[in-house]
């Protein structure tokens, strides 16, 4: 357990104790360091808008963040960039481009969503979408055997060239099936969510299997306790929808609006993960845009799936091009979180260290 939770500390009327956190009156303060800019927007106009990050901790402790870098938010030229931190997120390297469109292939104009994970062999696995509006899209892939220092292209032909659309979220293991990744279909293919697997730790990817043909976006799926569980975005719902499969994806149970913050706010980009300290516990990030601008942490037992809010992570004044929070486990109760923030023209990657309490116990009449 980290030092932050090893002692009793008062924060605005909230008493923090070792192990179980008792909160009187208000939610716990989760951020222990930050938020701050960890990868600033470059001066180069071609890559000044950094957005839609994913972060993972490699086996040697290196933090690797992957994101889009371009001329602006979907403005017609961008690529996939990565940065590394070898000091637990205090500093990150400058953006390193792995591809850039339309320079690399004039069928595509932008680099979109990203998926990132660690293979069962310890390799980092990275997939990303390139696209030209609704006219054309493809999925590209890489592996790194040296904790993100160098990257090698992989075979994504079964997912590429209008066969799917966007890839998003974790690259995660499914026992007996290998690594998996999910995304949403785009035109000209159609609508819905898909999942694909790799039996060789991301070197080659099989064809997509459809989860639903309903028009949802940016799904985040994991495997936990023999179940596949995912959250998906739908702007007009102002919430995340939930999918659960107990038979490795052959059938799915659907819960509408399973996770919801402010019912007035758009909910972009869900996040869900199993807590390595307590694998029965699922953690989710809920991000909200207009009329509120905030990111909060939620939790649920993986069998009961009754979500409840743990606390606020970040709240922003004004209206920004921002969010898409993602976090990776550092050890014990500590996590490192990234998101992007800026204007439609230029944005930076922000980061924060957060402490996730083991359990929050609220006094009668207290809390939110």
């Amino acid at each position: 357990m980290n030092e932050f939770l090893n002692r009793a500390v008062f924060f605005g009327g909230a008493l923090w104790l070792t192990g179980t956190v008792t909160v009187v009156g208000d939610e716990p303060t989760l951020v222990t360091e930050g938020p701050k800019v960890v990868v600033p927007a470059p001066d180069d106009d071609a890559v000044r808008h950094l957005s839609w990050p994913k972060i993972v901790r490699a086996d040697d402790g290196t933090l690797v963040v992957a994101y889009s870098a371009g001329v602006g938010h979907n403005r017609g030229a961008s690529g996939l960039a990565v940065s590394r931190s070898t000091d637990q997120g205090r500093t990150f390297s400058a953006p390193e481009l792995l591809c850039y469109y339309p320079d690399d292939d004039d069928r595509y104009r932008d680099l979109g969503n990203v998926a990132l994970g660690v293979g069962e062999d310890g390799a980092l696995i990275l997939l990303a979408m390139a696209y030209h509006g609704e006219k054309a899209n493809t999925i590209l892939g890489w592996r790194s055997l040296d904790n993100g220092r160098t990257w090698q292209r992989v075979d994504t032909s079964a997912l590429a060239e209008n066969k799917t659309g966007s890839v998003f979220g974790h690259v995660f293991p499914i026992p007996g099936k290998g690594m998996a990744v999910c995304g949403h279909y785009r035109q000209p293919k159609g609508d819905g969510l898909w999942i694909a697997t790799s039996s060789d730790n991301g070197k080659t990817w099989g064809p997509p299997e459809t989860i639903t043909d309903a028009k949802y976006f940016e799904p985040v799926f994991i495997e936990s306790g023999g179940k596949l569980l995912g959250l998906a975005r739908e702007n007009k719902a102002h919430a995340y929808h939930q999918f659960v499969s107990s038979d490795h994806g052959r059938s799915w149970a659907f819960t509408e609006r399973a996770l919801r913050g402010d019912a007035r706010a758009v909910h972009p980009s869900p996040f869900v993960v199993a807590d390595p300290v307590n694998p029965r516990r699922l953690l989710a990030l809920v991000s909200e845009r207009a009329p509120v601008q905030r990111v909060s942490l939620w939790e649920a037992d993986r069998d009961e799936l009754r979500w409840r809010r743990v606390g606020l992570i970040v709240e922003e004044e004004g209206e920004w091009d921002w969010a898409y929070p993602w976090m990776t486990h550092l050890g014990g109760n500590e996590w490192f979180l990234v998101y992007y923030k800026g204007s439609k023209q230029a944005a930076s990657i922000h980061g924060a260290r957060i402490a996730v309490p083991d359990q929050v116990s609220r006094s009668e009449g207290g809390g939110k």
Side-chain angles (χ1 to χ4, degrees):
M1 188 173 293
N2 62 67
E3 181 182 356
F4 183 76
L5 293 177
N6 265 338
R7 62 185 190 274
V9 186
F10 283 92
F11 284 99
L15 174 64
W16 287 69
L17 302 173
T18 302
T20 298
V21 178
T22 301
V23 179
V24 180
D26 205 357
E27 292 179 328
T29 299
L30 303 178
V31 175
T32 63
E33 183 180 332
K36 63 180 182 180
V37 174
V38 294
V39 185
D43 293 332
D44 185 347
D45 287 348
V47 289
R48 63 181 177 172
H49 188 273
L50 312 181
S51 56
W52 313 314
K54 301 290 178 289
I55 189 168
V56 73
R57 184 179 184 272
D59 285 350
D60 73 340
T62 300
L63 300 183
V64 179
V65 58
Y67 48 92
S68 173
V71 299
H73 190 138
N74 294 337
R75 289 180 179 255
S78 57
L80 177 64
V82 294
S83 295
R84 301 171 67 250
S85 173
T86 57
D87 57 10
Q88 295 287 286
R90 292 176 180 85
T91 61
F92 281 83
S93 59
E96 175 191 352
L97 282 174
L98 301 185
C99 61
Y100 194 85
Y101 295 93
D103 295 2
D104 291 0
D105 187 333
D106 62 10
R107 291 177 296 175
Y108 312 111
R109 293 290 185 269
D110 270 303
L111 194 289
N113 282 325
V114 177
L116 181 62
V118 181
E120 294 172 308
D121 61 351
L124 300 186
I125 305 172
L126 174 59
L127 292 95
M129 171 188 71
Y131 67 107
H132 182 188
E134 299 294 324
K135 297 178 181 179
N137 58 73
T138 196
I139 290 178
L140 314 137
W142 293 260
R143 274 171 35 104
S144 174
L145 298 173
D146 54 10
N147 306 302
R149 286 188 291 274
T150 61
W151 297 87
Q152 300 78 43
R153 288 289 297 269
V154 302
D155 181 4
T156 55
S157 57
L159 305 173
E161 297 185 349
N162 297 331
K163 297 183 183 71
T164 50
S166 175
V167 66
F168 192 84
H170 301 290
V171 181
F172 62 98
I174 298 178
K177 298 189 74 173
M179 301 303 293
V181 73
C182 295
H184 65 263
Y185 291 114
R186 291 175 58 95
Q187 301 301 328
K189 175 68 176 180
D191 296 321
L193 306 179
W194 58 267
I195 184 170
T197 58
S198 169
S199 61
D200 55 10
N201 280 297
K203 297 174 186 174
T204 59
W205 287 91
E209 298 178 11
T210 297
I211 296 170
T212 178
D213 58 7
K215 193 173 184 178
Y216 303 135
F217 310 96
E218 296 175 341
V220 179
F221 278 75
I222 60 171
E223 191 279 338
S224 180
K227 296 180 181 179
L228 298 181
L229 178 139
L231 300 172
R233 166 186 181 178
E234 185 197 6
N235 282 349
K236 66 182 181 181
H238 297 267
Y240 302 140
H241 303 310
Q242 182 173 277
F243 296 82
V244 179
S245 175
S246 299
D247 54 15
H248 281 182
R250 288 187 292 275
S251 61
W252 295 91
F254 174 73
T255 304
E256 188 175 22
R257 295 180 175 87
L259 195 50
R260 185 178 216 172
D262 190 311
R264 303 166 298 166
V266 169
H267 288 47
S269 174
F271 169 90
V272 67
V273 70
D275 185 351
V277 176
N278 176 12
R280 284 183 58 94
R281 184 194 195 192
L282 304 182
L283 301 173
L285 296 175
V286 174
S287 55
E288 299 163 79
R289 287 180 180 157
V292 297
Q293 299 269 82
R294 64 187 173 212
V295 176
S296 55
L297 180 71
W298 294 59
E299 68 176 358
D301 179 272
R302 70 185 179 198
D303 293 325
E304 298 173 354
L305 289 177
R306 290 196 292 267
W307 291 98
R308 73 170 195 86
R309 179 167 145 155
V310 175
L312 180 69
I313 294 177
V314 60
E315 189 167 42
E316 296 285 356
E317 296 292 333
E319 293 189 13
W320 300 90
D321 185 16
W322 89 297
Y324 278 65
W326 207 259
M327 65 183 190
T328 191
H329 187 231
L330 298 178
N333 290 77
E334 287 196 306
W335 297 72
F336 196 87
L337 173 131
V338 292
Y339 60 94
Y340 83 99
K341 177 186 172 184
S343 69
K344 296 287 186 180
Q345 292 75 40
S348 300
I349 304 300
H350 291 239
R353 293 171 72 96
I354 67 172
V356 176
D358 294 331
Q359 181 182 351
V360 178
S361 176
R362 301 183 186 280
S363 63
E364 185 175 353
K368 289 183 180 179

